[in-house]
Amino acid sequence: MIETNSIALVFFAFLLVIGVAVTVQRNLFAASMLTGIFSLVSAALFTLMDAVDVAFTEAAVGAGFSTVLFLATLALTKDTEKPGVKRPFAATFVVLLTGGALIYGTLDMPAWGTSEAPIHAHTASYFVTHSITDIGLPNIVTSVLASYRGYDTFGELLVVFTAGTGVTLLMQRKGLFRPGALAIPPKSRAPYVREMPVVRAVAKTMLPFILLFALYVQAHGDFGPGGGFQAGVIFATGFVLYGLIWGPAKLQPIIGGRPVQGLMASGVLLYGGVGVFCLLMGYPFLDYSALTPDHPVHGQHYGIFLVELGVGITVSAVMLIIYFVFSVRPRVGRGAGELGP
Amino acid sequence: MSIVETIMQYIGAALILGGSVFCVIGAIGVIRLPDFYSRCHAAGVTDSAGAAGVLFGLCFMSAPLIAFKLITILAFLWLSSSVATHALVQAAYARGVRVENPRVKDWTHGQETSAKKEGEA
Amino acid sequence: MTLSDHLPVLLVLTPLLGAPIVSLFRSISRPLATLLAAATAAIAWGLVQQTADGSELNYHLGGWAPPIGIEYEISMAAAWTVAVVSTLAFFSILAGCHNAAREVTEGREHLYYAAFLLCLAGLLGMATTGDAFNVFVFLEISSLSTYTLVAMGKGRRSFTAAFNYLILGTIGGTFILLGIGLAFQATGSLNIDDIAARIQDLRGSRTVLVAFGFLATGLSIKLAVFPLHQWLPGAYAESPTAVGAFLAGTATKVIYFQLIRVCVMLFGASYVFEELHFGTLLRWLSVFGMFVGSLAAVYQTSLKRLLAFSSIGQVGYLTLALSLGSELGVRAGLLHLAAHGITKCALFLVTGAIVATTGSDRLSRLAGFGKRRPLIAFAFVVGGIGLIGVPGTAGFVSKWALLRAAFESGHTIIAVLSLASSMIAVVYVWRVVEVMYLKPSVETDSADGSRPWALMVPASILLAVSIGAGLYSAPATAYASRAASTLWNRVPVAAGLPEPRPVHHDDAHDAAAEHGAHESAAPEGQAGPEEGSTP
Amino acid sequence: MTQAAHLWHYWLIIVLGMLGLWVVIAKRHYVKKLLGLSIFQVSVIMFYVSMGKVEGGTAPVYLPGEDGGVDLTAAYSNPLPHVLMLTAIVVGVATTALGLALVVRIREAYGTSEEDEIAAADRAEEDELHRQELAEEAL
Amino acid sequence: MMVFAAAMATGALHVVYAIAVGALVLTMALVLYRAVSGPTVYDRIVALNAFGTKTVLLIAALGFLYGRPEWLDLAITYVLINFVGTLAVMRFSKHGSLTREAGDDTSDSGGRDVNVATAAVPTGDNAR
């Protein structure tokens, strides 16, 4: 435990240093990169605290996808911050108040890591003891995620779908997905084509492996860290890599417009469809036992497989669309006060 | 535990420790070396020799499937980090980042104008 | 289980699954969304009918009993809230049908309707769920779609309004998450009933105190309680008409219901009001909110902003009702929730009609409007009267209930102050009336080719409902009394852990045989649909 | 003081979170605010995850047991906070994506992403409108 | 020999992993210093890239230290993310601030208002 604690302490020190650096760094490119590293270190900390699934997701999402989005935004907006802060004393007061309240609240919490804490005693003990017979998967997190609290995960998927819908509504221009809409004028060909051949070659080599790895993560989520969400992000990351190197104009014909938007909805519909099927069979919504009434455990397996697939489909489609609409947005001239579409 | 396994473990331990040493040396280089390009070199040491030492060392300690994953990681790591460094150095060079080491002739200086032009093309 | 047993989940599923379907069929998205909203409203009224006898509907999602799984728990108060929300959503979407075409960029209406339905689903899910974390999830669904919808407004200010709302809303959401986490830490459960029962033994705990603090603060941000209200005017005034009407009528109302649940159910009224004296704090904040909101409304130069600031004042009435810490107070809160929701939704729709005819919602452009468009102007006056709470409107019923509750709990000063702030409401409504009827018409309307009737029809229906409920209030007040009393007198029961499902002894072996797994002695877990490769 | 030995994890996490919150409140640049927001959210996630840690426990993936089944005697960390935090991470990235989309639109419409400059632009616009109205009234 | 083997199997192996973890943490700390202090953005990127790869090694070593080496999937993800992240930095900073810092190696020109020449919009004509 001393080992764990000392490593955790070093990680916390890293996080504090990075956090302060993000705060003072006025070059927002650097600040975004540092935030990415912040996520990576916190993911390592999650691993240390046994939350492998959370670490997986945080690495893929926080360090990967969010950072790419921040950078893509900064490519479109002004990327240095003006010096000075707004109402520093009020802000400090609010922060001290909140932090003080939280610390006050922890005083009655059981010591860190005690197994007697009430949080471990009640529902969690049921999951740890019975999920293997109820559901039969080695990864308890997947069991809880997809079955016991499957409705939360459905909500989570809807959050992703909402984000996809919202970003498309805000950023998509008319006819963006029409073939040829992104034809590159010969003059501005440079940024992509001039990209180094070595990078291109290596990326091309890695791409199939990335997609394969995503499929592995999707299928392996029942047995170890991973699952639909992580797989979806990694799958999208593969295409993001492609888009980064060859440019969105090359990406567009591959992912298409309507098809991806359709995928976005169909993953949600697959998840919901499984639930509705259960409902029609006379079981409660998302009670996967309905899939094979004779063998409830099998039903759970099929159900979890299907809903994880739904999650994977929607997540990858949404991530792709979000990246795509950000990367094709033209950069506005400085100080141009023109409105968007 | 068989003798072979024991020897493998010794080799593994040696490799891990060696890799760790390379990592620390490389990191010191990243801190101490005078300019961007030489720091890139130092960072490269941690990514190539350091990573290889640690990951190969771990291979000696583990079951075949785990070892396969370790090799995969190493392959990805070697490909990706060297390519990233390559691209980065090229970009930095095109943008006119100078060599600061006084003992080396600063040949970026002479080509600065052409490099600039290329960078803006 | 018959279909009517599934109503609690169908209520949320209809808009929730409707959203992706609507986003797929862009050509018929408009009628489809309206139809789905209507179906949702119908289901909600079905639930009202099912719970009318004071019973509570429970639905175990995934078939897992409460502390293990997520539960839908529809009390009378929840049914009341969802009925109001889904009905207002239906009318807003009906009105928005016409306006969306102009306010949302062409070719994207289907996504707009999808976001609308998602927002509705999030609000309904929040109101009906019995699981604390599920509240957070659905809160975020509704919040994220709200940010998008607000940004669909006409000018560039809608973007900043949406962004400010996003920042404050996310801070609020994260505070709620922290509060849930601390309560979870103290009790080990996520089910609201279960937490409530377990928390009774932990009253002295500082963790529980801080959990309440964070939940209350987070919800107050989302509810726009007085010092935390900065996001509201922009969000309501800059959004498209239909969205503004929908948000003004519903969003804060559902959050308000959550605040009632947190205070009365989750932590227990005796803890919140008697031990912490949270009522006193909330009462004075409410009074300040009422005055600040109403006074600010008096000085606004645009109609939508005027209504938005009046909403801050009205939130003050809502929280005032809760702060009384009595059954009557909750009853008044539930009544005002409905009355204000209907009135404000109608007023925003009428404002939309005004914008559609004059091309602007600036007060100065309304000079002589009463003569040019007597019907629309009259509708606004009727709504304004409802806002003030003149006898004969729903607003009067709820404010009367509030006054009664205040007098019965002995807060005479508070009652007088709330009456005084109603007088300010008279002032800001009168300002509009004065401009519309007494000022000479300076110009003709800039006809922008739109028909205000699409907005006026739903608005008139809502106003008629408001008047009808004001004249014949017995059913509503009786229902609210009963809902408040079941909510107030509810005794939470700690849920024990359920028995695990019976094990099929041959499951593992069957599965292994079916899927051709080789390890006969494999752990049961590895007999999944995909073959395991656990090392 | 004994408590400090048991609770310092939580306190460090709280300090991190408050750093993020401070950035959100005090910084003017919209992208910086979102960066702060994501730090704040990650800290909250960390707070939950650290509540789920069991001393001497291992990740909540069953270890293989003696008889070919799973090892139910081993100490596993609490899986429930992990499940909740997966959702919270997703909510975080969804918020970030939407916020960044708004930042891009704001930047296109105003030509800046600094809060005070945008507020100034809004005020100027409002004043201009007001002046026009006064002029009309005077006519 | 057998005695040594037993020692290796129990304690010593653990110590080896612990040393590796310690060395990697030290490496990360040093590299982080470079990432925070700059001076050019390129230095930061190189340092952050190295920091990321060290995290990969660290996760691998931690897996062995805690006896759950099957977490390596996580490390593979880290490699991928790190690569994509670095490429994204380069791609999106093509017309951004990287040029700005390159000129002066002494300080972050953070607040300085340098005019970014509006370089050719990559995907020109869909704007209209």
Side-chain angles (χ1 to χ4, degrees):
Chain A
M1 207 58 192
I2 287 181
E3 244 164 29
T4 312
N5 274 340
S6 42
I7 301 172
L9 198 60
V10 174
F11 280 171
F12 276 123
F14 283 175
L15 288 175
L16 276 178
V17 170
I18 298 169
V20 172
V22 170
T23 311
V24 298
Q25 179 63 255
R26 291 209 306 274
N27 180 325
L28 292 171
F29 260 108
S32 304
M33 291 187 302
L34 285 168
T35 313
I37 288 295
F38 187 92
S39 287
L40 208 60
V41 177
S42 46
L45 198 56
F46 294 152
T47 322
L48 206 64
M49 292 177 181
D50 297 338
V52 269
D53 279 278
V54 182
F56 210 136
T57 316
E58 178 62 34
V61 171
F65 188 71
S66 289
T67 311
V68 171
L69 270 194
F70 270 112
L71 295 171
T73 308
L74 287 172
L76 298 173
T77 65
K78 199 156 63 173
D79 45 21
T80 46
E81 187 195 3
K82 291 228 168 91
V85 290
K86 174 184 82 172
R87 298 188 299 260
F89 296 109
T92 314
F93 175 72
V94 169
V95 163
L96 286 180
L97 192 71
T98 317
L102 268 176
I103 289 180
Y104 180 74
T106 58
L107 291 180
D108 276 347
M109 274 165 55
W112 188 76
T114 351
S115 51
E116 285 93 47
I119 192 171
H120 307 309
H122 188 36
T123 45
S125 67
Y126 178 93
F127 295 135
V128 170
T129 328
H130 296 301
S131 78
I132 189 70
T133 47
D134 277 352
I135 302 192
L137 296 181
N139 189 351
I140 309 174
V141 174
T142 302
S143 303
V144 180
L145 180 91
S147 184
Y148 293 111
R149 297 189 70 84
Y151 193 63
D152 261 356
T153 310
F154 186 47
E156 168 191 335
L157 192 60
L158 261 301
V159 168
V160 176
F161 179 76
T162 311
T165 311
V167 171
T168 322
L169 256 177
L170 282 169
M171 302 276 284
Q172 188 196 328
R173 279 147 189 260
K174 218 183 159 197
L176 184 63
F177 290 125
R178 217 177 295 132
L182 292 177
I184 319 169
K187 255 191 165 177
S188 57
R189 224 161 242 283
Y192 306 116
V193 183
R194 211 183 55 80
E195 210 74 62
M196 305 79 177
V198 179
V199 181
R200 251 184 353 220
V202 168
K204 215 178 248 177
T205 323
M206 280 175 78
L207 196 58
F209 290 104
I210 295 177
L211 300 185
L212 199 65
F213 179 62
L215 294 180
Y216 163 78
V217 171
Q218 169 86 45
H220 196 252
D222 299 355
F223 308 98
F229 191 80
Q230 293 90 333
V233 178
I234 294 172
F235 202 79
T237 305
F239 284 100
V240 168
L241 179 66
Y242 188 85
L244 280 173
I245 290 172
W246 281 273
K250 277 278 185 123
L251 188 61
Q252 193 242 20
I254 297 173
I255 63 168
R258 293 291 282 278
V260 178
Q261 286 187 327
L263 279 181
M264 198 166 104
S266 60
V268 177
L269 290 176
L270 175 59
Y271 201 134
V274 172
V276 171
F277 178 78
C278 302
L279 196 140
L280 293 177
M281 295 288 285
Y283 285 73
F285 185 66
L286 289 179
D287 187 345
Y288 310 129
S289 317
L291 296 176
T292 50
D294 306 337
H295 277 281
V297 175
H298 289 187
Q300 294 287 345
H301 288 180
Y302 295 134
I304 289 176
F305 176 76
L306 286 173
V307 301
E308 289 268 16
L309 195 63
V311 172
I313 291 171
T314 294
V315 168
S316 54
V318 167
M319 299 286 161
L320 254 178
I321 277 203
I322 292 179
Y323 169 75
F324 184 68
V325 294
F326 268 90
S327 66
V328 297
R329 195 92 185 165
R331 186 182 160 83
V332 221
R334 200 166 248 282
E338 69 195 73
L339 267 169
Chain B
M1 188 177 284
S2 70
I3 301 279
V4 178
E5 277 180 32
T6 314
I7 292 172
M8 296 233 312
Q9 286 196 343
Y10 273 113
I11 298 173
L15 278 173
I16 292 174
L17 293 178
S20 308
V21 171
F22 271 116
C23 279
V24 175
I25 291 174
I28 293 171
V30 170
I31 296 284
R32 297 276 300 155
L33 288 176
D35 69 354
F36 168 70
Y37 299 101
S38 45
R39 285 179 209 136
C40 270
H41 157 70
V45 170
T46 67
D47 284 347
S48 52
V54 173
L55 292 179
F56 271 132
L58 291 176
C59 279
F60 279 95
M61 314 280 191
S62 48
L65 182 70
I66 307 281
F68 171 72
K69 282 186 186 173
L70 285 166
I71 302 281
T72 314
I73 294 175
L74 190 62
F76 270 0
L77 206 60
W78 272 356
L79 275 179
S80 69
S81 85
S82 55
V83 163
T85 311
H86 160 80
L88 202 58
V89 168
Q90 196 166 339
Y93 180 66
R95 299 282 180 206
V97 174
R98 307 273 188 84
V99 174
E100 297 289 324
N101 191 341
R103 275 169 294 180
V104 174
K105 189 186 169 223
D106 185 359
W107 38 264
T108 48
H109 184 68
Q111 298 181 347
E112 193 177 13
T113 43
S114 64
K116 266 269 165 67
K117 222 178 275 169
E118 195 192 342
E120 278 158 17
Chain C
M1 287 173 106
T2 60
L3 202 61
S4 66
D5 295 329
H6 290 299
L7 277 191
V9 74
L10 285 177
L11 171 76
V12 182
L13 276 186
T14 314
L16 204 58
L17 282 177
I21 293 173
V22 165
S23 80
L24 281 181
F25 299 101
R26 54 180 69 195
S27 51
I28 54 162
S29 63
R30 190 179 296 189
L32 198 59
T34 320
L35 200 68
L36 285 164
T40 313
I43 295 172
W45 284 104
L47 286 172
V48 168
Q49 200 215 336
Q50 280 192 12
T51 55
D53 54 348
S55 63
E56 194 177 276
L57 301 179
N58 291 298
Y59 188 89
H60 298 167
L61 289 151
W64 303 106
I68 298 303
I70 296 169
E71 178 195 30
Y72 263 7
E73 179 187 273
I74 300 187
S75 58
M76 280 180 88
W80 169 267
T81 313
V82 294
V84 170
V85 167
S86 54
T87 311
L88 292 181
F90 168 65
F91 281 115
S92 312
I93 225 167
L94 199 63
C97 265
H98 168 66
N99 265 48
R102 288 192 307 121
E103 288 181 314
V104 181
T105 316
E106 216 182 313
R108 282 184 286 175
E109 293 103 339
H110 59 297
L111 293 178
Y112 168 82
Y113 286 119
F116 213 110
L117 288 174
L118 284 170
C119 186
L120 171 63
L123 293 174
L124 296 178
M126 228 194 305
T128 48
T129 186
D131 186 276
F133 193 78
N134 205 236
V135 171
F136 170 74
V137 174
F138 278 83
L139 173 78
E140 287 299 334
I141 293 180
S142 76
S143 304
L144 285 172
S145 42
T146 309
Y147 308 146
T148 316
L149 289 171
V150 169
M152 291 294 105
K154 254 182 181 169
R156 61 180 187 178
R157 291 170 79 166
S158 62
F159 299 138
T160 31
F163 189 83
N164 288 333
Y165 187 16
L166 182 135
I167 293 286
L168 268 171
T170 309
I171 293 177
T174 314
F175 273 27
I176 292 171
L177 186 61
L178 273 170
I180 294 170
L182 290 168
F184 174 42
Q185 157 78 42
T187 58
S189 180
L190 284 167
N191 186 272
I192 291 182
D193 259 358
D194 197 21
I195 297 177
R198 280 158 200 279
I199 238 167
Q200 298 307 318
D201 308 331
L202 299 165
R203 290 188 156 203
S205 163
R206 288 173 280 196
T207 311
V208 172
L209 173 66
V210 174
F212 175 72
F214 272 92
L215 275 172
T217 315
L219 287 171
S220 300
I221 294 176
K222 287 276 184 186
L223 182 57
V225 173
F226 162 55
L228 307 168
H229 63 270
Q230 280 86 353
W231 60 266
L232 188 140
Y236 283 14
E238 306 300 340
S239 53
T241 303
V243 175
F246 176 55
L247 290 182
T250 59
T252 49
K253 309 300 176 287
V254 173
I255 305 287
Y256 176 62
F257 178 61
Q258 298 307 316
L259 191 63
I260 294 183
R261 284 215 294 182
V262 164
C263 291
V264 177
M265 281 170 68
L266 190 63
F267 289 88
S270 66
Y271 176 70
V272 171
F273 294 113
E274 284 158 30
E275 269 183 52
L276 299 183
H277 299 290
F278 177 65
T280 318
L281 174 70
L282 190 61
R283 203 172 304 133
W284 288 107
L285 288 182
S286 314
V287 170
F288 274 114
M290 281 172 350
F291 278 96
V292 169
S294 305
L295 282 174
V298 172
Y299 290 100
Q300 293 308 308
T301 50
S302 89
L303 211 49
K304 277 188 177 178
R305 286 208 163 248
L306 185 148
L307 292 176
F309 275 101
S310 128
S311 270
I312 294 170
Q314 300 288 337
V315 165
Y317 286 101
L318 288 172
T319 47
L320 179 63
L322 175 62
S323 75
L324 297 173
S326 66
E327 192 187 313
L328 278 178
V330 172
R331 171 175 172 270
L334 289 176
L335 281 171
H336 197 59
L337 174 157
H340 176 244
I342 294 170
T343 316
K344 201 38 90 48
C345 185
L347 272 172
F348 264 97
L349 291 179
V350 174
T351 308
I354 295 176
V355 175
T357 46
T358 64
S360 158
D361 72 331
R362 309 286 299 181
L363 271 180
S364 59
R365 306 293 287 277
L366 290 181
F369 189 75
K371 298 193 183 78
R372 280 178 280 149
R373 297 277 184 161
L375 261 165
I376 302 178
F378 179 69
F380 193 91
V381 174
V382 173
I385 285 173
L387 209 55
I388 300 166
V390 172
T393 61
F396 173 73
V397 177
S398 63
K399 284 198 180 165
W400 180 249
L402 176 60
L403 283 180
R404 213 184 109 197
F407 277 120
E408 294 221 349
S409 357
H411 296 295
T412 323
I413 302 171
I414 299 290
V416 172
L417 284 174
S418 76
L419 269 180
S421 90
S422 288
M423 292 302 116
I424 307 178
V426 176
V427 176
Y428 61 72
V429 173
W430 172 251
R431 269 192 74 212
V432 183
V433 173
E434 187 195 8
V435 173
M436 285 200 300
Y437 285 100
L438 302 181
K439 280 205 175 175
S441 186
V442 284
E443 55 179 322
T444 51
D445 296 339
S446 58
D448 61 347
S450 65
R451 300 153 302 162
W453 298 113
L455 291 157
M456 281 311 291
V457 170
S460 323
I461 296 173
L462 287 176
L463 287 173
V465 169
S466 149
I467 300 286
L471 294 175
Y472 180 57
S473 60
T477 47
Y479 190 92
S481 306
R482 190 145 191 191
S485 99
T486 43
L487 197 69
W488 191 263
N489 299 318
R490 205 159 179 286
V491 181
V493 186
L497 290 177
E499 285 296 306
R501 291 190 174 175
V503 185
H504 279 247
H505 282 294
D506 46 2
D507 254 359
H509 299 286
D510 278 7
E514 272 172 39
H515 300 288
H518 302 304
E519 317 103 299
S520 56
E524 288 119 290
Q526 297 194 357
E530 328 83 30
E531 219 177 289
S533 53
T534 314
Chain D
M1 214 52 236
T2 49
Q3 270 167 332
H6 303 301
L7 295 170
W8 60 266
H9 288 85
Y10 297 123
W11 295 354
L12 284 175
I13 292 167
I14 291 167
V15 170
L16 276 178
M18 291 309 115
L19 189 67
L21 187 59
W22 191 83
V23 173
V24 181
I25 300 174
K27 289 287 180 172
R28 290 206 196 94
H29 197 284
Y30 280 169
V31 174
K32 196 63 167 280
K33 273 177 186 285
L34 287 174
L35 287 173
L37 204 59
S38 60
I39 290 184
F40 183 37
Q41 284 175 329
V42 170
S43 314
V44 174
I45 291 162
M46 224 181 278
F47 192 73
Y48 263 79
V49 165
S50 62
M51 292 192 309
K53 169 76 181 164
V54 173
E55 195 158 0
T58 182
V61 179
Y62 286 120
L63 292 164
E66 303 284 308
D67 53 348
V70 296
D71 186 0
L72 285 174
T73 55
Y76 296 105
S77 280
N78 194 337
L80 197 45
H82 303 177
V83 173
L84 306 182
M85 285 311 103
L86 285 178
T87 309
I89 291 177
V90 174
V91 168
V93 70
T95 313
T96 304
L98 211 52
L100 287 174
L102 283 169
V103 170
V104 170
R105 294 303 298 269
I106 289 173
R107 157 81 178 151
E108 285 171 356
Y110 285 84
T112 174
S113 352
E114 298 268 350
E115 193 177 31
D116 47 345
E117 290 173 9
I118 289 164
D122 273 348
R123 252 196 317 276
E125 196 182 273
E126 186 73 19
D127 288 349
E128 180 61 26
L129 252 167
H130 199 67
R131 214 170 301 125
Q132 274 178 15
E133 277 170 13
L134 286 180
E136 270 174 26
E137 221 158 287
L139 266 171
Chain E
M1 199 64 200
M2 297 309 277
V3 178
F4 278 119
M8 278 300 279
T10 55
L13 210 51
H14 192 80
V15 172
V16 168
Y17 295 145
I19 290 174
V21 167
L24 287 170
V25 164
L26 177 64
T27 310
M28 286 162 80
L30 293 174
V31 166
L32 185 62
Y33 169 77
R34 178 54 73 200
V36 171
S37 68
T40 68
V41 168
Y42 296 102
D43 283 299
R44 290 181 207 282
I45 302 174
V46 157
L48 292 182
N49 188 41
F51 191 91
T53 53
K54 295 300 101 52
T55 321
V56 174
L57 300 184
L58 187 71
I59 292 293
L62 275 180
F64 280 84
L65 185 65
Y66 289 108
R68 302 291 296 259
E70 64 265 29
W71 295 343
L72 285 173
D73 299 348
L74 202 58
I76 299 180
T77 316
Y78 277 39
V79 182
L80 291 178
I81 292 304
N82 205 31
F83 181 51
V84 173
T86 310
L87 283 186
V89 170
M90 300 197 35
R91 156 74 180 80
F92 287 119
S93 57
K94 267 266 140 74
H95 312 292
S97 63
L98 290 201
T99 42
R100 214 168 304 161
E101 282 195 357
D104 52 348
D105 288 354
T106 45
S107 73
D108 278 329
S109 59
R112 204 169 308 160
D113 208 17
V114 185
N115 189 18
V116 185
T118 40
V121 177
T123 53
D125 63 348
N126 70 314
R128 280 153 283 277

